[in-house]
Amino acid sequence: MIAAFPGSFDPPTLGHLNIIQRSSAIFDEICVIIAENRLKNYLFTAEERFELVSALVKPWNNVSVSLCRGLIVDFLKEKGIPLLIRGIREGDFSYEFELSMMNNRLNPEIETVFLTTDTKYSFIRSSAIKEIASFGGDISSMVSPEVERTLKEKLVQIDKNA
């Protein structure tokens, strides 16, 4: 069975990779969806996030990456993907449950599967990683070396343009 794991991945974290790895062992195929929400401000463009995630998922033969600039449920229906994976950290359940109910109302054919994060990743948030990195803090335990390097390069570029 095919399932989708959508997210902003701005930047992708070790928590995201943990959910992808675990999902790839459960489902026949995983489609990681890079979501583009015009109401959010991203550090990385959708294309940059796509490239980062695509490089990170290479170890798993049953994982692909796609971009989605509309509603995730519409994307899933178009691609024939019946399952939506959501990773849950401590404190996320209420939001994720409401999102699941909204998605079900928009497309009752889509089922949501919740995977709890591995304990060692339960505190990791992309927003916190960006903030820590912007102050020169150590993010090596939260992101892959590729993401750490790319994030630092992006922040240097932003500083130069400021």
Side-chain angles (χ1 to χ4, degrees):
M1 180 165 282
I2 185 171
F5 178 48
S8 297
F9 303 100
D10 188 41
T13 70
L14 293 180
H16 292 131
L17 292 179
N18 178 257
I19 295 292
I20 293 167
Q21 177 185 26
R22 291 168 48 217
S23 297
S24 73
I26 297 169
F27 300 102
D28 298 325
E29 189 178 340
I30 302 297
C31 178
V32 178
I33 302 172
I34 310 301
E36 182 71 25
N37 180 341
R38 61 182 145 209
L39 299 179
K40 280 190 175 183
N41 292 320
Y42 297 103
L43 180 61
F44 293 99
T45 67
E47 291 74 19
E48 289 170 329
R49 291 179 280 135
F50 177 88
E51 292 300 322
L52 277 170
V53 174
S54 294
L56 294 171
V57 302
K58 283 185 180 181
W60 301 288
N61 294 329
N62 64 336
V63 178
S64 62
V65 183
S66 295
L67 281 172
C68 177
R69 290 193 162 93
L71 289 173
I72 297 295
V73 291
D74 291 343
F75 180 90
L76 297 179
K77 186 173 186 173
E78 176 187 318
K79 301 291 184 183
I81 302 174
L83 291 174
L84 180 63
I85 299 167
R86 297 298 296 177
I88 298 183
R89 297 168 294 206
E90 184 179 346
D92 285 347
F93 184 75
S94 203
Y95 168 78
E96 293 294 343
F97 182 78
E98 288 176 17
L99 183 60
S100 170
M101 293 296 100
M102 181 61 71
N103 285 338
N104 186 261
R105 175 162 276 181
L106 293 170
N107 185 344
E109 297 172 12
I110 304 297
E111 291 291 340
T112 301
V113 176
F114 297 113
L115 289 179
T116 56
T117 58
D118 189 305
T119 306
K120 63 184 170 185
Y121 304 119
S122 63
F123 69 95
I124 297 176
R125 295 190 182 282
S126 293
S127 57
I129 290 169
K130 290 183 282 194
E131 184 175 352
I132 293 166
S134 74
F135 288 105
D138 181 10
I139 58 170
S140 62
S141 65
M142 297 176 260
V143 296
S144 70
E146 300 91 336
V147 171
E148 182 177 18
R149 184 188 75 254
T150 304
L151 179 54
K152 288 179 179 180
E153 289 170 0
K154 177 66 104 169
L155 292 170
V156 166
Q157 179 184 8
I158 289 170
D159 285 344
K160 285 182 182 179
N161 293 335

